[in-house]
Amino acid sequence: MSLYDTVLGIIFLSQTGVGVLGNTLFLCFTFFSSHSSRLLDPILVQITLTNTIVLLSKGCPLVNFYLGDVYFLGSLGCKMVFYFQRMSRGLAICTMCLLSIFQAVTISPSSSRLARHKVGVLKLIRPSCLLSWIFNMIIEVNVPVHITGSRRINSSHTGGFEVLYCYWEKVLKEVTILPSLRDILCVGGMVWASSYIIVLLYRHQRKVQHIHRMSRSQKTSPEIRATQTVLLLLSIFVSAYCISCSSALYKVYEIHSGDWLVVVSTFTALCFPTISPFLLIHRDSQIFRSCCASWQKPSLHS
């Protein structure tokens, strides 16, 4: 085992471990903290579940590839791992699109067109989360057909490219058409919703600017803070998504580009599921208050 493999293995092990820990903590805080349930909690829970699947399906195979058995998966293992990778990736895109759209509806002013349908639209949060799972599980069902064991074990594989520990055949065929259309629609929805949210925040800032000048206290309301958190999550997600997709596409068209592109693409793809739970915990004042209360209660009776 070379120093290069050891360093990469430790990096992916750290990234995966920290990410799984952060998402587990956020789920525990959400389910067991004393704060009341919020409208967007189902989407936030789905994000953390999706993050965990992404981390385990992408990070664990790379950790084992660099620190353990290089070709430990085999053909069946590759099919299962890549199915979960593709399904969780699509689910992450759909969930972030839902988060941006529902957040835009939540903060829409009473005078807007969205406000007329706000109650009905917000009732669709839970059904939309369920449908996103079903949709992505179905749309990626043919992925295992095109995935097999590493070419370094079976040199007869042609028409695809090596993904370190597995081989992806016919990568540019029908397997990518529907997922690409889904990605385009979801990213378009995120851009539209984010632009709408930014416009609303700008108008709100102008309206309360004179109040801030007169008052020394400039505390941000919980609604605005939550909206800013959503925008920050979206910006991190879209940035990581674009870098990861660019690296993957370059790898597809440049077959002899080397394994470093797969490493860059995977590391970038794991950045969002690793960072997002800690960002949500840090930005959620209700979680902080409930944690402080739980720590202070024992000391009151001591």
Side-chain angles (χ1 to χ4, degrees), residues 11 65 70 110 191 206 214 223 259 262 266:
I11 289 174
F65 178 81
V70 177
S110 56
V191 171
R206 293 191 62 181
M214 297 174 60
E223 293 78 9
D259 293 339
V262 179
T266 305

Side-chain angles (χ1 to χ4, degrees), residues 92-152:
I93 296 173
C94 291
T95 306
M96 292 304 297
C97 180
L98 291 177
L99 177 64
S100 61
I101 292 175
F102 282 121
Q103 183 64 32
V105 173
T106 300
I107 67 169
S108 59
S110 56
S111 58
S112 66
R113 295 179 180 180
L114 285 177
R116 304 174 187 173
H117 311 284
K118 181 182 294 188
V119 176
V121 170
L122 294 179
K123 288 181 179 179
L124 299 176
I125 291 179
R126 294 180 184 274
S128 298
C129 291
L130 178 60
L131 286 175
S132 63
W133 279 89
I134 297 174
F135 172 73
N136 284 285
M137 291 175 69
I138 294 175
I139 201 175
E140 303 290 358
V141 73
N142 60 343
V143 168
V145 177
H146 303 277
I147 301 296
T148 186
S150 175
R151 189 180 181 183
R152 297 166 189 176

Side-chain angles (χ1 to χ4, degrees), residues 31-59:
F31 284 118
F32 300 111
S33 60
S34 58
H35 74 268
S36 57
S37 178
R38 294 159 297 184
L39 284 173
L40 297 182
D41 273 354
I43 299 181
L44 296 179
V45 169
Q46 180 162 304
I47 288 176
T48 55
L49 291 175
T50 306
N51 287 344
T52 304
I53 299 175
V54 171
L55 288 163
L56 294 177
S57 63
K58 283 181 174 288

Side-chain angles (χ1 to χ4, degrees), residues 1-301:
M1 184 184 300
S2 65
L3 178 61
Y4 173 80
D5 291 343
T6 303
V7 171
L8 286 180
I10 293 174
I11 289 174
F12 284 113
L13 178 62
S14 303
Q15 192 178 29
T16 304
V18 171
V20 171
L21 175 63
N23 285 282
T24 303
L25 287 175
F26 182 78
L27 283 176
C28 291
F29 289 152
T30 302
F31 284 118
F32 300 111
S33 60
S34 58
H35 74 268
S36 57
S37 178
R38 294 159 297 184
L39 284 173
L40 297 182
D41 273 354
I43 299 181
L44 296 179
V45 169
Q46 180 162 304
I47 288 176
T48 55
L49 291 175
T50 306
N51 287 344
T52 304
I53 299 175
V54 171
L55 288 163
L56 294 177
S57 63
K58 283 181 174 288
C60 289
L62 278 178
V63 172
N64 202 80
F65 178 81
Y66 286 113
L67 297 180
D69 184 4
V70 177
Y71 307 116
F72 70 105
L73 284 175
S75 181
L76 180 60
C78 284
K79 292 178 184 296
M80 294 178 61
V81 164
F82 264 81
Y83 175 75
F84 281 108
Q85 286 185 10
R86 297 287 300 179
M87 187 272 292
S88 59
R89 175 185 174 276
L91 185 60
I93 296 173
C94 291
T95 306
M96 292 304 297
C97 180
L98 291 177
L99 177 64
S100 61
I101 292 175
F102 282 121
Q103 183 64 32
V105 173
T106 300
I107 67 169
S108 59
S110 56
S111 58
S112 66
R113 295 179 180 180
L114 285 177
R116 304 174 187 173
H117 311 284
K118 181 182 294 188
V119 176
V121 170
L122 294 179
K123 288 181 179 179
L124 299 176
I125 291 179
R126 294 180 184 274
S128 298
C129 291
L130 178 60
L131 286 175
S132 63
W133 279 89
I134 297 174
F135 172 73
N136 284 285
M137 291 175 69
I138 294 175
I139 201 175
E140 303 290 358
V141 73
N142 60 343
V143 168
V145 177
H146 303 277
I147 301 296
T148 186
S150 175
R151 189 180 181 183
R152 297 166 189 176
I153 298 178
N154 186 355
S155 59
S156 63
H157 300 318
T158 57
F161 71 95
E162 189 82 17
V163 193
L164 294 180
Y165 45 84
C166 297
Y167 191 79
W168 192 347
E169 297 176 331
K170 300 179 181 180
V171 67
L172 296 179
K173 299 296 182 180
E174 68 277 358
V175 70
T176 60
I177 295 176
L178 288 177
S180 298
L181 181 60
R182 172 204 60 202
D183 293 358
I184 292 172
L185 292 176
C186 288
V187 172
M190 279 186 270
V191 171
W192 171 83
S194 300
S195 302
Y196 179 75
I197 290 173
I198 291 173
V199 171
L200 290 181
L201 288 179
Y202 176 74
R203 291 177 179 175
H204 174 79
Q205 183 68 24
R206 293 191 62 181
K207 288 181 180 179
V208 301
Q209 191 172 10
H210 66 282
I211 300 177
H212 286 176
R213 289 176 180 175
M214 297 174 60
S215 175
R216 294 182 180 180
S217 177
Q218 299 186 8
K219 293 183 179 179
T220 307
S221 65
E223 293 78 9
I224 299 300
R225 187 177 177 84
T227 304
Q228 292 172 346
T229 302
V230 170
L231 287 176
L232 188 56
L233 283 175
L234 289 172
S235 62
I236 296 174
F237 180 84
V238 172
S239 300
Y241 171 80
C242 291
I243 296 174
S244 179
C245 284
S246 300
S247 302
L249 286 174
Y250 186 81
K251 174 66 177 178
V252 169
Y253 288 103
E254 296 292 334
I255 304 297
H256 304 290
S257 57
D259 293 339
W260 66 272
L261 274 175
V262 179
V263 173
V264 171
S265 176
T266 305
F267 178 82
T268 308
L270 294 181
C271 284
F272 177 80
T274 302
I275 297 172
S276 59
F278 295 101
L279 177 63
L280 287 170
I281 293 173
H282 173 69
R283 300 281 297 182
D284 196 326
S285 58
Q286 289 185 343
I287 288 180
F288 270 126
R289 285 197 297 266
S290 62
C291 290
C292 292
S294 63
W295 278 101
Q296 290 173 358
K297 283 179 181 179
S299 62
L300 293 176
H301 300 282

